[in-house]
Structures are given as C-alpha cells and as structure tokens.
Amino acid sequence: MTIRVFIDGAVGTTGLEIRERLDGRAGIEQLILNEADRKDPAKREDALNSADFVILCLPDDAAREAVAMISR
C-alpha cells in the first residue's frame, strides 16, 4: 500500500528537509505542487484532501487556514 503525503510549506527549510528524507522511500508518494499551484487555494485544498497524511510546515495562521480547508 502506498501512502500519499502532502507537505504544506515544503519550500521552507523544515519542509525541504522532510521532503528530502521522504524521497525514495518505498510506500510513500509525495504530492508536490509546483510554484504557481501552491499559491492557488483550490489546488492546495485538493492536495490537502487527496493526501492520506499531511505535514504542516507553516506559521500558525497559515496552518489554521490549511486545516479549515480539509473536508474529509
């Protein structure tokens, strides 16, 4: 079984390190948004809801906003 992981804030220092540690691991598929899509609320919401596991590497207010986008 493959677990889909989305790191919201993957371009920051902590997000990049976590992303690097997950790269190449069997059973983990990373959902990665390109630069334009990561700023698109609809694309971000889709990634948050498509993932089995979400890691938030965001400031508090942005993390609260991300959690509010999760509908499942």
Side-chain angles (χ1 to χ4, degrees):
M1 179 177 160
T2 300
I3 296 172
R4 295 174 20 204
V5 176
F6 176 58
I7 304 169
D8 200 357
V11 297
T13 304
T14 303
L16 287 170
E17 186 171 328
I18 293 170
R19 188 171 160 184
E20 182 179 296
R21 289 175 185 241
L22 294 178
D23 276 346
R25 299 241 178 191
I28 296 177
E29 173 192 352
Q30 292 189 58
L31 302 176
I32 299 171
L33 298 178
N34 64 36
E35 184 66 25
D37 288 347
R38 72 183 188 87
K39 304 260 185 195
D40 182 330
K43 302 276 180 151
R44 195 168 151 227
E45 183 175 355
D46 183 53
L48 286 162
N49 285 287
S50 297
D52 298 307
F53 191 84
V54 174
I55 300 170
L56 301 176
C57 297
L58 303 166
D60 291 346
D61 289 340
R64 285 185 197 94
E65 177 184 295
V67 170
M69 292 180 176
I70 298 172
S71 62
R72 63 173 187 107

